[in-house]
Amino acid sequence: MDIKTINTSAFAGQKPGTSGLRKKVTIFQQQHYLENFVQAIFNSLTNFQGKTLVVGGDGRYYNKTAIQTILKIAAANGFGKILVGQNGLLSTPAVSAIIRKRQAFGGIVLSASHNPGGPQGDFGIKYNISNGGPAPEKVTDEIYQHSQTISKYKIIDSPNIDLSQLGINKIGNMQVEVIDAIADYAELMEELFDFSAISKLFSSGFTMCFDAMHAVTGPYAKTILEQKLGATIGTVVNGIPLEDFGGGHPDPNLTYAHDLVDIMYGKDAPQFGAASDGDGDRNMILGQSFFVNPSDSLAILAANATLAPGYKDGLAGIARSMPTSEAVDHVAESLKIDCYETPTGWKFFGNLLDAKLATLCGEESFGTGSSHVREKDGLWAVLFWLNILAVSKLSVEDIVYKHWAKYGRNIYSRHDYEGIDSELANELMENLYHTFSSLKGKKFGRYVVEYCDDFSYIDPVDHSISQNQGMRIGFQDGSRIVFRLSGTGTEGATLRVYLESFEPDTTKHHLDSQVALADLIKLADKIAKIKDYTGRDKPSVIT
Ligand code: G1P
Ligand code: ZN
């Protein structure tokens, strides 16, 4: 066995963000860059000798190259076994499911989620712990510390593994098993949802379009929707994973999932539309010419959870990220269960799920999930909706309106200003924070400021504190404006402005959210001086 110790020096900025380390492919391609970070991950871990690691990615450019390197570093560091998805593919929720099912020590996910791919695109690497979820901040902080002091890494000199063939290989003393990327995940979905009801729905002529956006969910969706549930062949579009996602931006929203939007808003649209992102953890749900806001989707899944066999005994609690609308809070209140408000990012849900304080969780950013894994899960959300559609026999639109009639509507929108100057973005946030001392009690038209703060969170399980998680302005009528800077971008800064207003009046439920939120949108600009700082007169993405 030929273990080599390679001298290296630290790269600045290997700091994991909201969801792992994300950088341009060209940065990862620098000599030692990936190796350093992988070794930093292993240096932050203890007691992994002889244990199993799950490795896979969303198939983007550099995925296969990075996997070969990771396998050799893992072998040199003493892992006993690696489970790697066939062709290097594993969706993020599948990694989580496999870690849990096979009781692995942890996993490495190679993805930059919804960011574009290709030689000029983005790449990313994220470490998941033994509960199947993203490493919590204390682990990512340690990885970062190690990355900043690293001086050598270990690697085995051995030929590449053929990732296209299922079966067991060896690197040094370590086994590398190439596994079916879909089987474990599909089995878990069958346990959670009423596959026979959904099959009947499809056999009765129900129509659907699933846009895999040339990303990782293509093979998963084809197997589960078309082969197992009997949806018509062709239900899954853009179903072949491509290294550059066909040149697209694999983010399932109204702007980037345009193929699906054209179909669902066109003539003879199918009854149900859905899309998932690069690594399969996000979802967008559409009816015929009808968009379901992700915050509403979470609330609707919570309200109807007992229709799915996996949740028939009800929910222990619900968790949502702070900027996510309070729609699900109304459901929690009516179910008399707790609703937790966490900072942005899935890693904050892990403790709540592990401690069984929450069963369902979600974010406004097209992420929904549950205790079945420790990641958000795109296809899971789609199957959950199919289960509800199959049992309720209502249309997507009817389900949403019925929900609003019962709980009221939290009219919601997010405005993103992408690729703005980082310094100006920080100044905007600082200036905003300085206005807070004089903002409380101030009246702007019908809006009176009730509170404003920089959100911080104390984890109810391990009592860790996370500060500076976004600026909140809450108004007396329950409306909110939240300002955050993205932690996942790779170029400049992205300002996110989250807008929400509660509307109990059913005669106003049909209103377009941009129209209904117009005053709040103007107010956000007035308070934060968005146009002045960014030089932009409109957001680049509205969801
Ligand atoms: C974004 C979303 C956040 C999500 C994350 C990873 O992070 O806002 O909800 O968890 O992507 O998918 P951000 O760029 O806002 O830091
Ligand atoms: Zn993702």
Side-chain angles (χ1 to χ4, degrees):
M1 195 173 39
D2 193 5
I3 299 183
K4 287 192 169 156
T5 301
I6 311 284
N7 290 326
T8 184
S9 50
F11 287 90
Q14 288 199 327
K15 191 172 174 56
T18 312
S19 200
L21 182 70
R22 286 193 195 161
K23 300 282 175 196
K24 292 270 165 223
V25 167
T26 47
I27 295 204
F28 272 101
Q29 282 170 328
Q30 297 172 87
Q31 199 186 14
H32 306 320
Y33 191 91
L34 173 74
E35 290 85 346
N36 274 16
F37 191 71
V38 175
Q39 185 67 56
I41 295 176
F42 297 156
N43 287 349
S44 73
L45 308 175
T46 48
N47 298 327
F48 59 81
Q49 301 301 315
K51 305 247 168 87
T52 300
L53 193 67
V54 180
V55 178
D58 63 10
R60 66 179 58 227
Y61 184 81
Y62 206 54
N63 188 43
K64 286 183 184 161
T65 312
I67 289 178
Q68 299 290 354
T69 303
I70 292 168
L71 296 179
K72 292 169 196 171
I73 299 178
N77 278 272
F79 275 94
K81 183 170 185 171
I82 303 279
L83 299 169
V84 57
Q86 190 173 21
N87 297 316
L89 293 179
L90 282 178
S91 76
T92 292
V95 170
S96 192
I98 295 166
I99 293 174
R100 294 171 69 77
K101 184 174 173 187
R102 315 244 187 153
Q103 295 175 347
F105 183 83
I108 290 181
V109 186
L110 300 162
S111 168
S113 186
H114 49 286
N115 294 6
Q120 302 308 318
D122 290 348
F123 192 72
I125 173 165
K126 186 173 80 162
Y127 181 69
N128 281 24
I129 58 175
S130 62
N131 73 352
E137 263 179 355
K138 66 172 184 337
V139 179
T140 54
D141 284 349
E142 246 179 71
I143 296 174
Y144 177 55
Q145 297 306 334
H146 282 288
S147 78
Q148 296 308 289
T149 53
I150 194 163
S151 60
K152 49 184 183 298
Y153 64 84
K154 284 194 276 183
I155 190 160
I156 286 195
D157 208 5
S158 83
N160 284 347
I161 299 284
D162 181 355
L163 297 174
S164 68
Q165 297 302 317
L166 295 178
I168 295 178
N169 308 267
K170 273 204 137 183
I171 300 182
N173 293 329
M174 185 185 81
Q175 271 193 8
V176 179
E177 184 178 351
V178 179
I179 57 168
D180 181 321
I182 297 155
D184 285 359
Y185 179 81
E187 198 180 288
L188 179 57
M189 294 302 112
E190 266 184 90
E191 284 164 21
L192 295 174
F193 300 113
D194 189 341
F195 269 39
S196 89
I198 302 173
S199 296
K200 272 194 208 130
L201 181 71
F202 281 124
S203 61
S204 72
F206 181 85
T207 51
M208 171 180 182
C209 178
F210 180 90
D211 187 352
M213 305 189 81
H214 286 303
V216 79
T217 50
Y220 290 86
K222 278 191 202 157
T223 301
I224 296 174
L225 298 175
E226 295 181 0
Q227 288 167 25
K228 288 187 182 280
L229 290 167
T232 320
I233 304 294
T235 294
V236 178
V237 299
N238 299 325
I240 297 172
L242 299 175
E243 289 197 330
D244 66 348
F245 308 116
H249 193 137
D251 200 0
N253 60 36
L254 293 175
T255 306
Y256 294 126
H258 35 75
D259 286 354
L260 177 71
V261 171
D262 289 349
I263 291 170
M264 294 307 295
Y265 283 75
K267 245 180 82 197
D268 303 323
Q271 286 153 287
F272 182 49
S276 189
D277 72 328
D279 61 329
D281 58 358
R282 294 186 172 199
N283 74 92
M284 175 169 71
I285 301 294
L286 299 174
Q288 284 168 326
S289 302
F290 189 83
F291 167 68
V292 184
N293 184 283
S295 294
D296 284 332
S297 177
L298 172 64
I300 288 163
L301 297 187
N304 296 283
T306 53
L307 298 183
Y311 306 92
K312 67 177 187 331
D313 298 330
L315 308 173
I318 300 170
R320 64 162 172 85
S321 67
M322 181 273 284
T324 302
S325 99
E326 293 176 349
V328 77
D329 301 35
H330 304 303
V331 176
E333 203 182 316
S334 132
L335 293 173
K336 299 194 171 52
I337 55 175
D338 286 329
C339 183
Y340 297 87
E341 186 177 40
T342 62
T344 297
W346 208 259
K347 59 187 171 213
F348 295 99
F349 294 134
N351 279 350
L352 299 171
L353 296 169
D354 283 350
K356 298 192 169 43
L357 294 173
T359 310
L360 283 199
C361 38
E363 295 192 276
E364 50 64 42
S365 52
F366 299 83
T368 359
S370 88
S371 53
H372 70 292
V373 287
R374 293 294 180 272
E375 291 278 5
K376 54 188 175 246
D377 191 344
L379 211 42
W380 167 90
V382 174
L383 291 166
F384 211 144
W385 265 92
L386 279 169
N387 197 141
I388 294 170
L389 289 162
V391 178
S392 71
K393 308 209 160 48
L394 295 171
S395 70
V396 172
E397 191 170 345
D398 287 345
I399 290 172
V400 176
Y401 273 99
K402 217 177 123 197
H403 184 90
W404 288 340
K406 179 166 177 190
Y407 298 96
R409 176 179 175 197
N410 286 71
I411 305 177
Y412 189 84
S413 182
R414 183 176 106 182
H415 288 193
D416 292 337
Y417 297 80
E418 296 175 317
I420 57 177
D421 183 89
S422 297
E423 252 175 63
L424 292 176
N426 288 326
E427 275 176 36
L428 178 151
M429 293 299 275
E430 244 170 69
N431 170 69
L432 178 64
Y433 188 66
H434 288 309
T435 65
F436 278 6
S437 51
S438 59
L439 218 52
K440 201 170 167 219
K442 245 191 175 164
K443 195 165 182 287
F444 299 92
R446 66 189 165 106
Y447 297 108
V448 183
V449 177
E450 189 173 76
Y451 64 88
C452 35
D453 61 13
D454 188 350
F455 181 64
S456 65
Y457 176 68
I458 304 177
D459 186 293
V461 180
D462 65 16
H463 309 292
S464 59
I465 299 174
S466 302
Q467 284 170 317
N468 307 117
Q469 297 295 326
M471 307 282 187
R472 305 191 290 183
I473 305 177
F475 301 91
Q476 279 175 3
D477 69 346
S479 302
R480 296 194 306 163
I481 307 177
V482 174
F483 300 86
R484 266 188 76 246
L485 295 183
S486 157
T488 57
T490 54
E491 245 171 3
T494 294
L495 170 69
R496 305 202 193 284
V497 185
Y498 309 82
L499 305 131
E500 171 176 7
S501 120
F502 181 64
E503 183 55 77
D505 181 354
T506 51
T507 65
K508 293 188 182 151
H509 284 174
H510 63 282
L511 282 179
D512 176 76
S513 55
Q514 302 309 309
V515 174
L517 295 169
D519 289 346
L520 218 49
I521 293 169
K522 279 196 206 120
L523 189 52
D525 181 54
K526 183 173 169 170
I527 296 176
K529 300 198 174 64
I530 302 171
K531 288 196 185 82
D532 294 354
Y533 278 102
T534 65
R536 307 270 177 91
D537 59 359
K538 58 172 187 334
S540 35
V541 179
I542 295 181
T543 45

